Amino acid sequence: MARPPMPGASAHSEIVRIVITTVQIPFVTGGAESHAAGLKTALIREGHTAEIVTVPFNPAVPERIADQMLACRLLDLTEIHGTRVDRLIGLKFPAYLITHPNKVVWVLHQHRAAYDLWDYPFEELSASPRGVMAREAIRRGDQLLTEAKAVFANSKNIANRLGHFCGINATALYHPPPHAEDFFCADRTGDYFFFPSRLSASKRQSLVLEALALTREKVKVRFAGVADSVEYGKRLKQLAAKLGVDARVEWLGQITEEEKRENYARAIAVIFPPVDEDYGYITLEAMLSSKAVVTCDDSGGPLEFVSPRKTGLVTKPTATALGEALDELWQDRTLAAKLGRAGRESYQRLDLSWAEVVKKLLA
Amino acid sequence: MRLNLFSPLPPLRSAIARLTVHMLPHLAREAQVVLWTDESKWELDPPAAVTIRQYNAQRPPWREINKADATVYQMGNDPRYHDAIWRVSQQHPGIVILHDLMMQHFFSGLVFHNRGLNRREYLELVERYHGIKGRVLAEAHLQGLLGTEELAQRCPLTEAATENALAVIVHSAAAYSALPEDASVVHVPLCVGMESPTLVARQAAEPYRLTVFGFLGPNRKLPLLLRALATFPEPGRFRLDIFGTMDGQEKMQQLVCRLGLSETVTLHGFVTASELDAALRQTNLAVNLRNPSMGEASESQLHLWQYGLPSLVTRRAWYATLPEETVAFVRPEHEIEDIQRHLTEFLRDPESYRALGRNGRLYVAENHSIENYAAALLQVAAQAPELRAKWVARDLAQRSATAMTAWSDASMGDSLSLEVARQIRLLTAGASTEFARTS
């Protein structure tokens, strides 16, 4: 029997038990985990019973990726302890391949090494002897996304990739970042740009270091986030030293949510120049903090939200162009503040809400 | 299409290298070819669409290799020319062109020539494919108690050479049948690594010239041929020229002398292509015996046909399938008797033998053309994505079965294995209608 909705919750009385399937790459935490948690909270808030089912996933061994896909296909979540699971919402590869007669998928991203990041220098799949085999296995497996009753994507960028690479039509479905209501803008800003993200080749902290080496101003940057690997973290620090910018760089490492919001609040602007980002909470968090966003024209997700010279600056992905943008905002704090305020207004107009997300996923 | 081709290249003394060079222009018309070699030098002038890249088999440049749509490996049984190719093929599944079924020579050669396979690994390999009995025979071989050819007949190790192949191209119906049914095997008639020469009429005057050429292993039956000549009533009406390398050439020379054939027989050793060409143009009858056969189509037989030469061949394996009007057969274990019978017949009616040569030349042109060979190879390469999906499906099924054997019993095995198989099929086919989208 269906559990009644919680007081004040919208009624989706026919669907009460929902499983969210995602993956966990051990020792790696990021936006995907927040996303799943946010969805679970939103579902519960709307009166449903929701649970996150996390499948371990290790992409480091290409020969075993197909095994992990098969393992997901063999999981049966249609019924738990004799009670039907009414809906399954798949989020990430390969957990979104788990079958269910009433499945929808909300694709955070596919296994990008098999698609747009194939042959990128920092991706190992194309450097593996069985890389082609793994890539094709992933692509064929992803065709099973069409089993779902509906395919949503985390952003227009993801939807475009699904269409381009897989011929699958997906609807972009935006959601607010975690704790959206807690972001703020301080009255007085500090003397730094803020770049909160995993230290990862795909986020291009190295490009920012190279840009710093070319700025006319003594631009300073605070990086927050843990490195994908200890080795990569070391390499970045060595690069900063080699470029002679280490004195203008702070490596905050892992920080709390409060510290993150504080750093956003006091920054001149936020730098976020990743390679074709899927969605990117950072853009939205910067907008919520009334901060201009400096990004690149190949950065993907951020471009869905940043209006050039209205809410941020969009440059070519070169150290020179990025350096010039940083110089401009460093010199012209009034412009930086103006773009930031416009960003906050732009965010408000997006009208992002979890309630709307839940409505669409359960339709 | 972008195609990787791993092959021995000239100046290596390899018929496979010649075949590759001959095939390149035909492949290059339809594909961008990257020709991979682990040698530091090569002698060929590739067509414009062909790039030559050197690799180190210990650290192959996978990123570049992975750029191709398909990878093709030329696999023969000479460990000197094929060990690096085999190593790459084990890691990066591709299309293996198998030039020999008896790959025992290759694997034991890796041990004897110290080319990266130790005794333990070799014995384990033989045991994997031929059981403990095979291992015992291989051990005897390593101790010098059993010859390679005898061991190869009982433990050919064919599948060891094609273990990770997406597909295997073979050159004979016999080879096609010899490989397991679940392997993707394609039969493509072999072609010869050179254009067909323009011929002028041969001198028909005596003494008639007999020729043997190629790699002269024990299965070429040279001692029997020499004995047949020595005991032939009119040996002076022939001259025999033997071209090619062999183990124990000195002993063979001693046998020639002992049999009183010094005036009749000449051992030339290895000769250049132009020297061989000149010799074949003067030849009246070729002798191309193989007993036992290495199991595959013979490049040298095609070569002889291109010169319009009649040839004596053993009625065994691929040779046994040849049309009667293109060769003269010698029965296995009756070599001396049959060779002498053919020599007698040849002296009586040389024209009937010349007709065999002419027929052979027509036959090779019709059935073994380089154009057809290259087209067939490209056709297989175009199927590489489907072959890879099949490979993944087979691999998943095998490993799932191994895992399930450890814990499933008959009561659950049926339903579970059915579901595993169903999901593997869905994953590797890439489409399902089971839960069709309704919105």
Side-chain angles (χ1 to χ4, degrees), chain B residues 339-371:
Chain B
I339 289 168
Q340 290 184 339
R341 178 171 52 80
H342 282 301
L343 294 180
T344 304
E345 280 297 306
F346 181 87
L347 290 174
R348 191 183 65 76
D349 182 10
E351 179 49 31
S352 66
Y353 282 83
R354 288 185 199 118
L356 294 178
R358 286 194 298 274
N359 293 340
R361 188 169 155 98
L362 287 173
Y363 183 78
V364 77
E366 284 172 14
N367 297 284
H368 296 274
S369 80
I370 189 71
E371 291 84 0

Side-chain angles (χ1 to χ4, degrees), chain B residues 148-361:
Chain B
T148 315
E149 294 197 356
E150 191 180 344
L151 178 61
Q153 293 299 316
R154 297 162 81 171
C155 305
L157 284 177
T158 313
E159 289 175 62
T162 61
E163 192 170 66
N164 279 329
L166 297 179
V168 184
I169 291 178
V170 295
H171 301 123
S172 68
Y176 184 85
S177 308
L179 284 158
E181 281 183 15
D182 65 339
S184 297
V185 185
V186 184
H187 174 198
V188 178
L190 183 65
C191 65
V192 67
M194 59 176 279
E195 295 292 344
S196 203
T198 307
L199 299 180
V200 291
R202 287 180 174 79
Q203 198 173 358
E206 295 188 27
Y208 293 112
R209 302 207 77 92
L210 307 176
T211 295
V212 176
F213 83 95
F215 178 75
L216 304 168
N219 71 330
R220 301 298 299 271
K221 299 295 176 193
L222 283 184
L224 293 182
L225 173 60
L226 296 178
R227 288 198 169 89
L229 263 183
T231 57
F232 188 65
E234 302 171 280
R237 299 182 69 180
F238 293 100
R239 292 286 180 273
L240 171 62
D241 294 294
I242 300 174
F243 302 96
T245 52
M246 69 178 87
D247 293 331
Q249 178 153 339
E250 204 172 312
K251 280 187 180 172
M252 194 64 71
Q253 188 62 59
Q254 287 167 1
L255 180 62
V256 168
C257 295
R258 211 163 52 240
L259 292 171
L261 293 171
S262 301
E263 298 296 314
T264 308
V265 177
T266 309
L267 299 178
H268 295 271
F270 178 80
V271 294
T272 63
S274 60
E275 287 170 317
L276 183 62
D277 173 73
L280 291 176
R281 288 175 187 278
Q282 299 301 316
T283 299
N284 301 107
L285 179 64
V287 183
N288 193 25
L289 305 181
R290 297 285 194 291
N291 186 20
S293 162
M294 292 298 107
E296 255 299 10
S298 161
E299 197 262 0
S300 48
Q301 182 59 43
L302 306 187
H303 201 77
L304 292 171
W305 274 334
Q306 283 196 318
Y307 280 85
L309 281 172
S311 45
L312 308 188
V313 303
T314 314
R315 195 186 284 276
R316 175 154 274 186
W318 175 76
Y319 295 92
T321 68
L322 301 179
E324 299 276 349
E325 66 274 18
T326 60
V327 287
F329 287 110
V330 169
R331 292 167 298 161
E333 319 311 333
H334 294 80
E335 282 89 354
I336 293 177
E337 179 189 346
D338 285 2
I339 289 168
Q340 290 184 339
R341 178 171 52 80
H342 282 301
L343 294 180
T344 304
E345 280 297 306
F346 181 87
L347 290 174
R348 191 183 65 76
D349 182 10
E351 179 49 31
S352 66
Y353 282 83
R354 288 185 199 118
L356 294 178
R358 286 194 298 274
N359 293 340
R361 188 169 155 98

Side-chain angles (χ1 to χ4, degrees), chain A residues 63-64 66-67 69-70 73-74 97 99-101 118-133 135-137 139-151 168-169, chain B residues 62-69 90-93 164 166 384-389 391-392 395-397 399-400 416 419-420 423-424 426-439:
Chain A
E63 292 82 358
R64 292 287 173 267
D67 301 27
M69 294 162 67
L70 178 60
R73 295 293 294 179
L74 293 170
L97 297 176
T99 63
H100 190 278
W118 172 259
D119 213 16
Y120 260 66
F122 54 78
E123 275 298 346
E124 290 301 313
L125 192 62
S126 62
S128 155
R130 297 205 182 146
V132 173
M133 192 128 7
R135 179 182 65 169
E136 290 178 0
R139 289 180 169 207
R140 283 176 189 271
D142 273 354
Q143 286 298 316
L144 296 177
L145 285 169
T146 57
E147 290 172 343
K149 289 185 169 298
V151 180
I168 295 172
N169 287 324
Chain B
W62 296 120
R63 242 182 240 288
E64 191 175 346
I65 290 169
N66 279 335
K67 285 181 180 164
D69 299 292
Q90 291 302 291
Q91 299 173 75
H92 180 77
N164 279 329
L166 297 179
E386 288 72 30
L387 292 167
R388 282 191 282 265
W391 192 98
V392 169
D395 181 56
L396 279 174
R399 285 184 301 104
S400 300
L416 183 59
E419 180 59 12
V420 169
Q423 291 301 341
I424 290 172
L426 287 173
L427 276 174
T428 53
S432 164
T433 53
E434 185 181 24
F435 302 132
R437 191 153 22 141
T438 54
S439 58

Side-chain angles (χ1 to χ4, degrees), chain A residues 179-219:
Chain A
H179 313 294
E181 60 285 358
D182 295 333
F183 286 86
F184 65 100
C185 180
D187 295 336
R188 294 175 65 84
T189 58
D191 257 358
Y192 67 91
F193 289 113
F194 188 41
F195 186 169
S197 189
R198 279 186 297 121
L199 305 186
S200 164
S202 66
K203 307 297 181 189
R204 288 200 293 216
Q205 282 89 357
S206 58
L207 178 66
V208 176
L209 295 175
E210 287 161 11
L212 278 183
L214 299 177
T215 54
R216 294 184 303 277
E217 303 290 329
K218 295 292 179 195
V219 173

